[in-house]
Structure formats: C-alpha cells, structure tokens
Amino acid sequence: MPISSTPPDVITLQGGILVLPDRLITGGILEIGGGKIIALGGPGSGGESTDRELRGTIIDVSGRYVCPGFIDLHVHGGGVHGFDWQQPWSEWEQVARVHAAHGVTSLLATVPLPHDVHLLYEFRREVAGKEMTGSTILGLHLEGPYLSPVRRGCWPQSSLRLPRPDDCRALLQAAGPSLKVITLAPELPGAMECISLLKAAGVVVAMGHTDATYEQAVQAARAGVRRVTHLFNAMRGLHHREPGTAGAAMDLPGVMAEIICDGVHVHPAAMRLALRAKGVDGLNLVTDASPLAGAPDTTLEVPFGQFPVKVVNGACRAPDGSLAGSLLTLEQAVANATRFLEVPLWQAVRMASLNPARSLGIDDCKGSLETGKDADITVLDNDFGVEATFIGGRLVYVDPAAAGRYKPLNPPHHQSQQN
Ligand SMILES: [Zn+2]
C-alpha cells in the first residue's frame, strides 16, 4: 500500500535479525506506526522497506532478534503478584507489567472460577482487552472448577465441582467474550454436553487436570476439545496399552498441546517425543507462571489463591509439596526450547507467538511479523534476554542497560509516571 506521508508515530527498528515464522532475516528493517506493522524486509528478502528511505524515529537494534510479541495462554502470576480474585485489579496489572518485561505482549489471566460470579462482569468491564502499562490481558483461562479430583494437582478439593450445562450457561453469561479458554476433565459426568456448549459459544476447550483414558480423550476431541493443558502434567501418562490423555494428545492432530519448557515439569526427552509427534505447529510454549515467577526474591512465601507457595528444590510448591505453577518466564521458555527441543530460534518463537495466536483464532492480527498485524514486538539480545517490548506500537519495557538506544522513544517508566 503506498504511503504518501509519514504518520507521526512511526518507529523504524534498524539492523536487527527479524524472526519470521519460517526463517531469520539478518540486517532487517521493521517499520511500525499507528499501532501496526507497516513494512519489513532485509537484504535479499524482497521486503518492501528495503527499497525506500528509513522514516520516523530510528532505533538501532543491530544484532538483536526482533520477534513477534510472545503470547502466554497460561499465567497465574509473576513478580510476587497474582491473578487473584481477592486482590484489586491494580494487582492484576502488576502481573501484566512483570510479564511485559519478559517479552509477553498478550496473555490470558489463568484463574479458578471466582466464588462471586459478579467478579466476572467486573473483569470484563475493567480488565479484558484494555490498554495497560503491561501485557494486554486478552481474557480468562479458567483452570477449574471442572477438574478431576484425582488429578487436581495443587487445586483444593473444595474448589472442584461437576460440569452441569446450567452451570456452564451461567458462567458463559457472566464471562461473555472474556472467557477464552477453559481447562476441564472430559471424563467427568456431564462434561461432553458442556464441551459442546462452550465450544458453540466460541470458548477454546482444553483438557487438563484429567484422568481421562485414551478413548475418553479421543471422544472429547470429537466433542470439540482443541487443546491439552500442560501436556504430561496432571493427566494420565503414556502407557503402551493405555496411552492415556498424554498419548491421545500426541496422537490427535487437531489438538494443540501446551508444554511447560522449564526442565522441571517435563523431561527434555519427553518434550522431544511430543515435538516429533505434534510437529512445530502442534506445541504451544506456556509458563504456568506462579506469583514467584520473575520475582526478584524467591526466598519468599507468597499467596497463590487459597494457599501459600514457596520455592523448594528449584520449583514452586504448595504446602503439600505438589508443584504449584512454575518459576518460568516465557523468554526463558523460548531459550530453553532451543536447547531441550533442539529447534532453531524461529521455531521456538513460533511456539510462543503464532501457535497461541492460532489457538485463539487471533492470528489474523497477532502472532507473527507481517505487514498489517499489530505492532506487538519483542526484541531479544544475544543471550535471548528481553531488551525491549512494544505493544500496539508503544514501548512498554526496555532493559535499563539498553535504555540509551531507545531514548528517543521516552523510557516507559517516565510514561507510566505521567499516566
Ligand atoms: Zn496452571
């Protein structure tokens, strides 16, 4: 599309390594403005920006990886803050700010169902999709209450209940379009009818915290389940005569599997097996971040819903010793994927950007560096640390060590003071 004059907020990231869904482009140019990606290209790439002059505010990102913003569909907290129905919405925004500093431009607040259903209406009004100082909270991922009592992990027994269609209808009414993903156990009585209801309402139904057999998991997929929550964790494992939910997840091509790539939740060999079975498009890196993920001090004990959590033997644990979320942040997951899954960076990034966008059906506007998509950008340094995060074309985070090069854009902490 020809552009006759430079819009006022154009930013050009110059000299970076552009991370596309299928390759890297070195010495690349990425031009953003009006909240969107305007143009991108590089030497020999045939990109449209290479044959015209650089415009707007030019930022040198030579040698850095310019990635599509990461999208985390499974986040409970971060930086000692939590998505907690007992806490004010400002606490939720704090979580979003912490994850923006880890390259996450969009996320789903992952929570159990609140006791007071009116909180769902309030969430829609106050939080979902609003412009924030951190990652965009696209909506909710409800982990519960329809979970298996024998695979509940750290979720309290008292928070679980059986799926009932009238209960689901009330939930859908209250949460509306802010309910994006629900994790449930498909073998529970009433689950199949609820899966159909939720799917018809546009909710992505995931199976997780489930004791489903292989056959039950296959039936669930037929009924509309399209995701598996933290593959291998809190589900029936792979047995050669009863492949379980894990086996079904790897066998079913239409089901995308979340994986917690921290080296604690899943052995790297199991992750590689899953990758071979699912292919790059079938795996989705998530953090399952607990409030202790990205926290400056991990010796603390902090609340996580109804119980406190602390770090024991390098993992975040509930008082009964069970794993309670992770300490992982998504840029670490991407870096880990290059080692544990032995994939090139562009594939690891794709599992943290395009795949979750596809899973939510928002890949028309998010998930990859493409002209016309939202200017959600994560810039990584050579060690895969986050140097800068842009959301909708706004710089929301910059690493203090790199702040000098981003100075023309005003460091974000100044912006947040003005707000
Ligand atoms: Zn979780």
Side-chain angles (χ1 to χ4, degrees):
M1 190 171 63
I3 297 156
S4 50
S5 64
T6 307
D9 62 345
V10 167
I11 300 166
T12 297
L13 302 179
Q14 179 199 12
I17 303 162
L18 304 183
V19 181
L20 303 190
D22 58 350
R23 72 203 142 110
L24 303 178
I25 294 179
T26 52
I29 302 291
L30 183 81
E31 188 183 89
I32 60 180
K36 304 284 178 190
I37 296 171
I38 300 174
L40 67 143
S45 69
E48 53 190 287
S49 72
T50 51
D51 51 6
R52 71 167 192 242
E53 272 183 39
L54 302 185
R55 306 187 302 168
T57 307
I58 295 163
I59 306 293
D60 178 16
V61 292
S62 297
R64 276 75 180 172
Y65 297 101
V66 179
C67 308
F70 302 151
I71 302 172
D72 194 342
L73 303 191
H74 198 143
V75 182
H76 297 285
V80 307
H81 306 283
F83 292 131
D84 184 338
W85 296 113
Q86 316 292 327
Q87 297 290 328
W89 300 122
S90 56
E91 177 80 1
W92 292 50
E93 183 157 14
Q94 288 290 346
V95 178
R97 288 178 71 157
V98 168
H99 286 280
H102 293 281
V104 174
T105 51
S106 298
L107 57 78
L108 293 185
T110 304
V111 283
L113 187 70
H115 294 298
D116 179 359
V117 82
H118 287 99
L119 286 166
L120 292 172
Y121 289 102
E122 221 181 287
F123 173 83
R124 281 163 77 175
R125 204 175 55 236
E126 304 290 333
V127 183
K130 297 278 183 297
E131 189 173 289
M132 301 189 120
T133 54
S135 318
T136 303
I137 300 178
L138 296 170
L140 294 173
H141 174 170
L142 285 183
E143 200 172 15
Y146 314 131
L147 307 179
S148 161
V150 294
R151 301 280 180 178
R152 63 189 169 83
C154 65
W155 297 111
Q157 180 80 40
S158 59
S159 70
L160 310 183
R161 61 181 192 244
L162 290 177
R164 289 200 333 257
D166 56 341
D167 196 40
C168 270
R169 282 189 202 97
L171 162 63
L172 284 167
Q173 169 101 35
S178 75
L179 177 57
K180 303 293 186 193
V181 176
I182 186 165
T183 292
L184 53 72
E187 75 279 13
L188 296 176
M192 289 299 166
E193 199 178 335
C194 288
I195 291 168
S196 307
L197 252 172
L198 289 156
K199 188 193 170 212
V203 179
V204 176
V205 185
M207 46 190 165
H209 291 276
T210 169
D211 199 39
T213 62
Y214 173 83
E215 282 304 330
Q216 286 168 325
V218 168
Q219 268 185 23
R222 279 199 199 110
V225 166
R226 298 214 314 271
R227 278 179 80 82
V228 167
T229 298
H230 39 56
L231 175 62
F232 298 118
N233 300 116
M235 66 183 59
R236 241 175 223 255
L238 178 69
H239 184 278
H240 56 288
R241 278 190 291 274
E242 189 347 67
T245 313
M250 289 198 279
D251 190 36
L252 292 164
V255 170
M256 191 180 287
E258 293 183 356
I259 199 126
I260 306 173
C261 191
D262 62 355
V264 173
H265 282 74
V266 184
H267 191 283
M271 287 194 253
R272 289 192 290 274
L273 285 172
L275 176 65
R276 282 188 205 120
K278 303 296 299 170
V280 173
D281 288 335
L283 282 189
N284 177 189
L285 301 180
V286 296
T287 59
D288 197 11
S290 77
L292 283 168
D297 179 358
T298 51
T299 63
L300 299 169
E301 189 171 88
V302 299
F304 184 2
Q306 297 175 29
F307 50 85
V309 289
K310 62 178 178 182
V311 176
V312 181
N313 295 332
C316 183
R317 293 180 192 275
D320 66 1
S322 59
L323 286 170
S326 81
L327 301 173
L328 189 61
T329 52
L330 205 49
E331 93 284 28
Q332 284 172 354
V334 167
N336 290 346
T338 63
R339 288 192 297 133
F340 297 151
L341 291 170
E342 300 167 357
V343 292
L345 180 67
W346 61 265
Q347 290 190 357
V349 166
R350 183 171 162 147
M351 288 186 251
S353 55
L354 189 56
N355 291 2
R358 277 178 40 233
S359 187
L360 286 191
I362 56 170
D363 52 315
D364 57 332
C365 58
K366 292 188 188 294
S368 59
L369 300 183
E370 264 181 79
T371 304
K373 285 198 179 183
D374 294 348
D376 292 352
I377 314 288
T378 298
V379 182
L380 300 180
D381 63 24
N382 293 322
D383 299 322
F384 303 149
V386 174
E387 176 173 293
T389 309
F390 294 85
I391 298 177
R394 283 184 308 132
L395 181 66
V396 298
Y397 169 77
V398 64
D399 175 12
R405 275 184 294 111
Y406 291 82
K407 208 166 181 190
L409 299 176
N410 295 324
H413 56 275
H414 294 316
Q415 285 173 4
S416 61
Q417 277 165 10
Q418 285 162 10
N419 286 341

